[in-house]
Amino acid sequence: MCTKEISLCKNFHCLGPDCPRNCCKGWHIPVDEATMARYLDLPGEEGRRIRIHLTKRKGLYVYRRIFGACPFLNSDRLCQFQANGNPELMPLVCRYYPREIMRYSDYTEITLTLSCIAAARLFVNHPERMAWADAPEAEPFWDVANEDADFLAFLCADREKIQDVIWQEDIPLECVWSGLYRYVEREHGLIMENRLTELSEVDIRDFFPQTNEMNAAGERMSAGKAEGETGSGISAGETEEPLNRKPTLAFFPITVLDRMILNHIDYGLLLVREPKAASLIMKYNHLFKNLYVDTADREFSDAVHEMQAKNPGMEKKYRAYFSYNIGQLYLKAYENYFILRQFLFAVLYTELYMLFELVAAKTDGTGGVLSDERQAEILALTETCVRHNPDMTKNLFNVIRQDFL
């Protein structure tokens, strides 16, 4: 068995009762089988008091929430089990949160979930490439079922190739997205055709123009396509451009994001559950409702670049967040071989984070400058309201399939 954890983990410290976004609120807290067995065996009044707060949701035992919070959140804003010296009665996810533990066969990874405001602050203050270090063995939240050791080795190696491209900071992020899309799409096609032995022949360097003039990448790609090539060294017809125009930070067109936000992210009771997220969406509606479809993507991209110019370090942070998403998501394709899905979600979460920060920069009354604290708050909101909701993930991918792919 081998266990690795990202470098952020070693610097993480829980804020405890001082946390402005208590992790005991707003979640359906699942109870794992081992903890459930302890509850069933617990005698007397204590056992009965715990069990009356359990219910089933989609086949899993969860706590019944009281006014949106865990029933065992005490008046000091701490977990009652932990305060009483009984951490073994905490569900596994609570014991480790914000750490996320995934097991892939005999390999386990521990990452940090940025829905936690303390983790989000740590990330915003240290936007770097994920570094992995050996860690003690930990009980996983999820065990990804597969026995294809060769494919797991491919995913690990391919993830590092992708990370190497992401951190070539002379390549604008929009060009990174465009080139990597074509690369991952090509690999995905081979995987879906069960031609895994040919994956080693796909060279990531072929999907990026061999020049330093990266800002002109879109025009060169389009010109190559008109001449029968994609401009990437592969023949036309083997793959398609994700966006038939110069790459912009609107990788997903604003029309696609708009449908996601209004039909899915802004779901019922969001105003009650996450009022700050609901406020951002209302402001988004006001800002973007008058944009023309033909120019919205370019205007969004230009506005993000302008915001980055006013906030030093923000461009690197977005690169780091995309890198973080690839680091967290890519190996999850081990279960179903759908690497393209994981790549697209890594881009989507980064673009949505940009959008929500742009809304704040335009409406907070700070002249377009966002404090680190505000950036961390919006990151935690993005993670909470978008990433960590399985039903929403499914709905968002349906939009991607219908309106983008």
Side-chain angles (χ1 to χ4, degrees):
M1 297 292 292
C2 175
T3 301
K4 299 279 188 179
E5 71 175 7
I6 60 169
S7 51
L8 278 177
C9 290
K10 69 178 183 294
N11 295 318
F12 172 76
H13 298 286
C14 178
L15 297 176
D18 297 324
C19 181
R21 288 179 47 80
N22 193 287
C23 58
C24 301
K25 293 183 177 180
W27 300 95
H28 288 288
I29 301 172
V31 180
D32 55 284
E33 291 183 5
T35 305
M36 187 64 195
R38 294 189 191 100
Y39 292 165
L40 294 176
D41 291 340
L42 199 61
E45 178 61 22
E46 184 178 15
R48 189 194 67 81
R49 184 174 59 85
I50 293 174
R51 291 190 289 270
I52 62 173
H53 288 297
L54 294 170
T55 186
K56 269 200 169 182
R57 184 176 186 270
K58 297 184 178 179
L60 296 174
Y61 278 102
V62 299
Y63 289 147
R64 298 180 191 274
R65 293 184 296 184
I66 299 177
F67 299 111
C70 172
F72 302 108
L73 177 64
N74 67 19
S75 58
D76 294 324
R77 292 169 54 84
L78 294 171
C79 173
Q80 191 61 51
F81 296 135
Q82 195 170 42
N84 290 344
N86 302 120
E88 73 280 358
L89 295 180
M90 298 168 66
L92 184 65
V93 67
C94 297
R95 273 177 269 157
Y96 283 108
Y97 183 84
R99 291 167 179 82
E100 180 177 282
I101 305 174
M102 302 288 297
R103 179 178 291 163
Y104 308 94
S105 296
D106 60 352
Y107 175 58
T108 301
E109 282 191 349
I110 305 173
T111 55
L112 209 58
T113 302
L114 303 183
S115 55
C116 165
I117 189 64
R121 289 174 180 174
L122 184 61
F123 177 85
V124 167
N125 290 322
H126 302 280
E128 306 290 345
R129 178 173 177 171
M130 277 188 174
W132 298 95
D134 291 333
E137 186 175 345
E139 188 175 353
F141 298 165
W142 293 279
D143 200 336
V144 179
N146 201 336
E147 299 298 331
D148 190 344
D150 290 341
F151 185 60
L152 179 59
F154 159 77
L155 287 175
C156 290
D158 203 47
R159 182 174 64 176
E160 291 310 303
K161 289 181 186 178
I162 291 171
Q163 295 283 18
D164 288 342
V165 170
I166 294 171
W167 286 102
Q168 290 185 37
E169 296 189 36
D170 58 328
I171 306 179
L173 187 56
E174 52 264 49
C175 295
V176 170
W177 286 348
S178 179
L180 285 178
Y181 177 90
R182 292 181 291 113
Y183 169 68
V184 175
E185 184 186 43
R186 176 60 178 152
E187 290 188 313
H188 182 74
L190 293 174
I191 292 169
M192 293 298 101
E193 295 170 10
N194 200 26
R195 295 160 61 188
L196 276 69
T197 57
E198 298 178 38
L199 288 173
S200 60
E201 300 173 13
V202 183
D203 191 335
I204 197 169
R205 294 171 297 182
D206 290 340
F207 294 81
F208 292 87
Q210 300 302 308
T211 173
N212 289 326
E213 298 176 349
M214 297 306 301
N215 285 317
E219 286 86 350
R220 289 195 299 275
M221 291 176 190
S222 297
K225 194 169 185 179
E227 296 169 6
E229 296 183 351
T230 62
S232 62
I234 53 180
S235 61
E238 287 186 19
T239 187
E240 297 181 359
E241 291 294 327
L243 303 170
N244 191 21
R245 52 181 167 76
K246 180 178 178 179
T248 73
L249 290 173
F251 179 89
F252 291 98
I254 295 300
T255 53
V256 175
L257 294 189
D258 188 71
R259 181 181 168 193
M260 291 179 177
I261 291 171
L262 300 185
N263 293 352
H264 301 293
I265 298 174
D266 189 15
Y267 61 93
L269 298 180
L270 182 63
L271 186 60
V272 175
R273 183 183 174 211
E274 291 290 354
K276 291 185 178 180
S279 175
L280 282 174
I281 289 175
M282 286 188 283
K283 292 173 181 177
Y284 156 81
N285 288 333
H286 178 73
L287 283 173
F288 282 80
K289 67 180 180 180
N290 293 322
L291 291 184
Y292 292 104
V293 171
D294 292 343
T295 60
D297 296 347
R298 172 54 57 190
E299 290 183 37
F300 165 77
S301 188
D302 290 346
V304 172
H305 282 299
E306 181 183 341
M307 177 177 64
Q308 290 175 167
K310 293 181 178 180
N311 293 269
M314 186 175 276
E315 192 280 336
K316 183 178 181 181
K317 182 193 67 177
Y318 291 143
R319 193 177 296 266
Y321 186 48
F322 177 56
S323 173
Y324 162 87
N325 286 324
I326 287 291
Q328 250 211 348
L329 296 173
Y330 206 65
L331 293 198
K332 293 180 181 179
Y334 184 52
E335 184 173 27
N336 57 19
Y337 295 84
F338 205 162
I339 62 171
L340 186 59
R341 183 182 194 272
Q342 306 307 328
F343 171 80
L344 290 172
F345 270 115
V347 178
L348 175 63
Y349 296 143
T350 309
E351 191 176 337
L352 282 170
Y353 180 35
M354 287 179 178
L355 177 62
F356 291 140
E357 285 203 327
L358 180 61
V359 171
K362 294 283 189 182
T363 61
D364 278 4
T366 58
V369 177
L370 298 178
S371 67
D372 288 352
E373 179 65 24
R374 181 61 164 151
Q375 293 179 45
E377 178 184 66
I378 296 172
L379 177 56
L381 287 170
T382 303
E383 290 263 317
T384 301
C385 298
V386 182
R387 278 198 63 174
H388 300 289
N389 183 324
D391 290 337
M392 184 177 296
T393 299
K394 180 180 178 181
N395 291 335
L396 296 185
F397 191 65
N398 284 337
V399 176
I400 291 174
R401 292 173 64 181
Q402 295 167 13
D403 292 4
F404 181 81
L405 291 178

PDB file of all heavy atoms in Angstrom, residues 6-26:
ATOM      1  N   ILE A   6      -1.175  15.846  -0.469  1.00  0.00           N
ATOM      2  CA  ILE A   6      -0.687  17.081  -1.060  1.00  0.00           C
ATOM      3  C   ILE A   6      -0.048  17.959   0.014  1.00  0.00           C
ATOM      4  O   ILE A   6      -0.378  17.855   1.202  1.00  0.00           O
ATOM      5  CB  ILE A   6      -1.799  17.859  -1.794  1.00  0.00           C
ATOM      6  CG1 ILE A   6      -2.936  18.242  -0.845  1.00  0.00           C
ATOM      7  CG2 ILE A   6      -2.305  17.099  -2.987  1.00  0.00           C
ATOM      8  CD1 ILE A   6      -3.906  19.237  -1.465  1.00  0.00           C
ATOM      9  N   SER A   7       0.840  18.835  -0.442  1.00  0.00           N
ATOM     10  CA  SER A   7       1.623  19.646   0.481  1.00  0.00           C
ATOM     11  C   SER A   7       0.769  20.579   1.331  1.00  0.00           C
ATOM     12  O   SER A   7       1.142  20.908   2.455  1.00  0.00           O
ATOM     13  CB  SER A   7       2.652  20.460  -0.300  1.00  0.00           C
ATOM     14  OG  SER A   7       2.045  21.156  -1.377  1.00  0.00           O
ATOM     15  N   LEU A   8      -0.389  21.015   0.820  1.00  0.00           N
ATOM     16  CA  LEU A   8      -1.248  21.911   1.595  1.00  0.00           C
ATOM     17  C   LEU A   8      -1.668  21.299   2.924  1.00  0.00           C
ATOM     18  O   LEU A   8      -1.902  22.010   3.901  1.00  0.00           O
ATOM     19  CB  LEU A   8      -2.501  22.268   0.789  1.00  0.00           C
ATOM     20  CG  LEU A   8      -2.414  23.388  -0.255  1.00  0.00           C
ATOM     21  CD1 LEU A   8      -3.746  23.520  -0.976  1.00  0.00           C
ATOM     22  CD2 LEU A   8      -2.025  24.716   0.370  1.00  0.00           C
ATOM     23  N   CYS A   9      -1.786  19.969   2.952  1.00  0.00           N
ATOM     24  CA  CYS A   9      -2.306  19.306   4.160  1.00  0.00           C
ATOM     25  C   CYS A   9      -1.462  19.602   5.390  1.00  0.00           C
ATOM     26  O   CYS A   9      -1.998  19.787   6.485  1.00  0.00           O
ATOM     27  CB  CYS A   9      -2.392  17.799   3.929  1.00  0.00           C
ATOM     28  SG  CYS A   9      -3.678  17.281   2.773  1.00  0.00           S
ATOM     29  N   LYS A  10      -0.145  19.655   5.207  1.00  0.00           N
ATOM     30  CA  LYS A  10       0.713  19.792   6.394  1.00  0.00           C
ATOM     31  C   LYS A  10       0.597  21.164   7.044  1.00  0.00           C
ATOM     32  O   LYS A  10       0.953  21.333   8.221  1.00  0.00           O
ATOM     33  CB  LYS A  10       2.165  19.495   6.028  1.00  0.00           C
ATOM     34  CG  LYS A  10       2.845  20.513   5.142  1.00  0.00           C
ATOM     35  CD  LYS A  10       4.308  20.139   4.896  1.00  0.00           C
ATOM     36  CE  LYS A  10       5.036  21.202   4.071  1.00  0.00           C
ATOM     37  NZ  LYS A  10       4.515  21.292   2.706  1.00  0.00           N
ATOM     38  N   ASN A  11       0.104  22.160   6.292  1.00  0.00           N
ATOM     39  CA  ASN A  11      -0.024  23.508   6.841  1.00  0.00           C
ATOM     40  C   ASN A  11      -1.447  23.860   7.264  1.00  0.00           C
ATOM     41  O   ASN A  11      -1.708  24.982   7.688  1.00  0.00           O
ATOM     42  CB  ASN A  11       0.460  24.534   5.803  1.00  0.00           C
ATOM     43  CG  ASN A  11       1.942  24.398   5.504  1.00  0.00           C
ATOM     44  OD1 ASN A  11       2.747  24.212   6.416  1.00  0.00           O
ATOM     45  ND2 ASN A  11       2.306  24.485   4.229  1.00  0.00           N
ATOM     46  N   PHE A  12      -2.360  22.898   7.154  1.00  0.00           N
ATOM     47  CA  PHE A  12      -3.752  23.180   7.471  1.00  0.00           C
ATOM     48  C   PHE A  12      -3.995  23.170   8.977  1.00  0.00           C
ATOM     49  O   PHE A  12      -3.528  22.289   9.695  1.00  0.00           O
ATOM     50  CB  PHE A  12      -4.677  22.165   6.808  1.00  0.00           C
ATOM     51  CG  PHE A  12      -6.109  22.306   7.256  1.00  0.00           C
ATOM     52  CD1 PHE A  12      -6.903  23.326   6.774  1.00  0.00           C
ATOM     53  CD2 PHE A  12      -6.642  21.431   8.203  1.00  0.00           C
ATOM     54  CE1 PHE A  12      -8.208  23.480   7.205  1.00  0.00           C
ATOM     55  CE2 PHE A  12      -7.940  21.568   8.641  1.00  0.00           C
ATOM     56  CZ  PHE A  12      -8.731  22.603   8.138  1.00  0.00           C
ATOM     57  N   HIS A  13      -4.772  24.143   9.440  1.00  0.00           N
ATOM     58  CA  HIS A  13      -5.179  24.201  10.846  1.00  0.00           C
ATOM     59  C   HIS A  13      -6.657  24.587  10.902  1.00  0.00           C
ATOM     60  O   HIS A  13      -7.066  25.598  10.326  1.00  0.00           O
ATOM     61  CB  HIS A  13      -4.351  25.211  11.635  1.00  0.00           C
ATOM     62  CG  HIS A  13      -2.888  24.898  11.675  1.00  0.00           C
ATOM     63  ND1 HIS A  13      -2.366  23.875  12.439  1.00  0.00           N
ATOM     64  CD2 HIS A  13      -1.842  25.455  11.002  1.00  0.00           C
ATOM     65  CE1 HIS A  13      -1.051  23.829  12.265  1.00  0.00           C
ATOM     66  NE2 HIS A  13      -0.713  24.759  11.396  1.00  0.00           N
ATOM     67  N   CYS A  14      -7.450  23.798  11.595  1.00  0.00           N
ATOM     68  CA  CYS A  14      -8.880  24.077  11.743  1.00  0.00           C
ATOM     69  C   CYS A  14      -9.069  25.348  12.575  1.00  0.00           C
ATOM     70  O   CYS A  14      -8.353  25.579  13.556  1.00  0.00           O
ATOM     71  CB  CYS A  14      -9.557  22.891  12.413  1.00  0.00           C
ATOM     72  SG  CYS A  14     -11.325  23.120  12.717  1.00  0.00           S
ATOM     73  N   LEU A  15     -10.052  26.146  12.188  1.00  0.00           N
ATOM     74  CA  LEU A  15     -10.347  27.383  12.920  1.00  0.00           C
ATOM     75  C   LEU A  15     -11.243  27.152  14.124  1.00  0.00           C
ATOM     76  O   LEU A  15     -11.452  28.055  14.935  1.00  0.00           O
ATOM     77  CB  LEU A  15     -11.011  28.391  11.978  1.00  0.00           C
ATOM     78  CG  LEU A  15     -10.170  28.859  10.789  1.00  0.00           C
ATOM     79  CD1 LEU A  15     -10.999  29.779   9.891  1.00  0.00           C
ATOM     80  CD2 LEU A  15      -8.899  29.547  11.241  1.00  0.00           C
ATOM     81  N   GLY A  16     -11.812  25.946  14.230  1.00  0.00           N
ATOM     82  CA  GLY A  16     -12.648  25.616  15.374  1.00  0.00           C
ATOM     83  C   GLY A  16     -13.842  26.544  15.507  1.00  0.00           C
ATOM     84  O   GLY A  16     -14.513  26.877  14.520  1.00  0.00           O
ATOM     85  N   PRO A  17     -14.120  27.039  16.710  1.00  0.00           N
ATOM     86  CA  PRO A  17     -15.311  27.882  16.916  1.00  0.00           C
ATOM     87  C   PRO A  17     -15.210  29.242  16.235  1.00  0.00           C
ATOM     88  O   PRO A  17     -16.210  29.946  16.116  1.00  0.00           O
ATOM     89  CB  PRO A  17     -15.362  28.039  18.443  1.00  0.00           C
ATOM     90  CG  PRO A  17     -13.959  27.812  18.900  1.00  0.00           C
ATOM     91  CD  PRO A  17     -13.393  26.787  17.964  1.00  0.00           C
ATOM     92  N   ASP A  18     -14.010  29.604  15.757  1.00  0.00           N
ATOM     93  CA  ASP A  18     -13.835  30.896  15.083  1.00  0.00           C
ATOM     94  C   ASP A  18     -14.128  30.818  13.592  1.00  0.00           C
ATOM     95  O   ASP A  18     -14.042  31.835  12.891  1.00  0.00           O
ATOM     96  CB  ASP A  18     -12.399  31.408  15.285  1.00  0.00           C
ATOM     97  CG  ASP A  18     -12.079  31.680  16.747  1.00  0.00           C
ATOM     98  OD1 ASP A  18     -12.989  32.130  17.468  1.00  0.00           O
ATOM     99  OD2 ASP A  18     -10.932  31.440  17.160  1.00  0.00           O
ATOM    100  N   CYS A  19     -14.499  29.658  13.111  1.00  0.00           N
ATOM    101  CA  CYS A  19     -14.729  29.491  11.678  1.00  0.00           C
ATOM    102  C   CYS A  19     -15.998  30.250  11.259  1.00  0.00           C
ATOM    103  O   CYS A  19     -17.062  30.038  11.842  1.00  0.00           O
ATOM    104  CB  CYS A  19     -14.877  28.013  11.327  1.00  0.00           C
ATOM    105  SG  CYS A  19     -15.128  27.710   9.569  1.00  0.00           S
ATOM    106  N   PRO A  20     -15.905  31.112  10.240  1.00  0.00           N
ATOM    107  CA  PRO A  20     -17.094  31.842   9.786  1.00  0.00           C
ATOM    108  C   PRO A  20     -18.036  31.000   8.939  1.00  0.00           C
ATOM    109  O   PRO A  20     -19.171  31.413   8.681  1.00  0.00           O
ATOM    110  CB  PRO A  20     -16.497  32.992   8.968  1.00  0.00           C
ATOM    111  CG  PRO A  20     -15.212  32.446   8.448  1.00  0.00           C
ATOM    112  CD  PRO A  20     -14.690  31.529   9.523  1.00  0.00           C
ATOM    113  N   ARG A  21     -17.551  29.840   8.464  1.00  0.00           N
ATOM    114  CA  ARG A  21     -18.371  28.945   7.638  1.00  0.00           C
ATOM    115  C   ARG A  21     -18.280  27.537   8.242  1.00  0.00           C
ATOM    116  O   ARG A  21     -17.582  26.676   7.717  1.00  0.00           O
ATOM    117  CB  ARG A  21     -17.869  28.939   6.188  1.00  0.00           C
ATOM    118  CG  ARG A  21     -18.156  30.214   5.432  1.00  0.00           C
ATOM    119  CD  ARG A  21     -17.618  30.137   4.013  1.00  0.00           C
ATOM    120  NE  ARG A  21     -17.961  28.886   3.367  1.00  0.00           N
ATOM    121  CZ  ARG A  21     -19.147  28.616   2.822  1.00  0.00           C
ATOM    122  NH1 ARG A  21     -20.108  29.522   2.854  1.00  0.00           N
ATOM    123  NH2 ARG A  21     -19.372  27.463   2.245  1.00  0.00           N
ATOM    124  N   ASN A  22     -18.984  27.344   9.332  1.00  0.00           N
ATOM    125  CA  ASN A  22     -18.861  26.097  10.075  1.00  0.00           C
ATOM    126  C   ASN A  22     -19.220  24.890   9.212  1.00  0.00           C
ATOM    127  O   ASN A  22     -20.268  24.865   8.557  1.00  0.00           O
ATOM    128  CB  ASN A  22     -19.775  26.153  11.303  1.00  0.00           C
ATOM    129  CG  ASN A  22     -19.467  25.052  12.280  1.00  0.00           C
ATOM    130  OD1 ASN A  22     -19.779  23.903  12.043  1.00  0.00           O
ATOM    131  ND2 ASN A  22     -18.839  25.409  13.393  1.00  0.00           N
ATOM    132  N   CYS A  23     -18.336  23.875   9.186  1.00  0.00           N
ATOM    133  CA  CYS A  23     -18.547  22.709   8.316  1.00  0.00           C
ATOM    134  C   CYS A  23     -19.672  21.800   8.811  1.00  0.00           C
ATOM    135  O   CYS A  23     -20.037  20.841   8.133  1.00  0.00           O
ATOM    136  CB  CYS A  23     -17.255  21.906   8.167  1.00  0.00           C
ATOM    137  SG  CYS A  23     -16.545  21.310   9.714  1.00  0.00           S
ATOM    138  N   CYS A  24     -20.221  22.082   9.987  1.00  0.00           N
ATOM    139  CA  CYS A  24     -21.338  21.293  10.512  1.00  0.00           C
ATOM    140  C   CYS A  24     -22.690  21.804  10.013  1.00  0.00           C
ATOM    141  O   CYS A  24     -23.730  21.293  10.415  1.00  0.00           O
ATOM    142  CB  CYS A  24     -21.326  21.300  12.045  1.00  0.00           C
ATOM    143  SG  CYS A  24     -19.815  20.639  12.775  1.00  0.00           S
ATOM    144  N   LYS A  25     -22.648  22.821   9.145  1.00  0.00           N
ATOM    145  CA  LYS A  25     -23.886  23.402   8.632  1.00  0.00           C
ATOM    146  C   LYS A  25     -23.951  23.256   7.122  1.00  0.00           C
ATOM    147  O   LYS A  25     -22.938  23.327   6.431  1.00  0.00           O
ATOM    148  CB  LYS A  25     -23.984  24.887   8.996  1.00  0.00           C
ATOM    149  CG  LYS A  25     -24.143  25.161  10.491  1.00  0.00           C
ATOM    150  CD  LYS A  25     -24.309  26.651  10.755  1.00  0.00           C
ATOM    151  CE  LYS A  25     -24.540  26.928  12.239  1.00  0.00           C
ATOM    152  NZ  LYS A  25     -24.707  28.374  12.511  1.00  0.00           N
ATOM    153  N   GLY A  26     -25.181  23.043   6.623  1.00  0.00           N
ATOM    154  CA  GLY A  26     -25.404  23.068   5.181  1.00  0.00           C
ATOM    155  C   GLY A  26     -25.117  21.783   4.445  1.00  0.00           C
ATOM    156  O   GLY A  26     -25.266  21.722   3.231  1.00  0.00           O
TER     157      GLY A  26
END
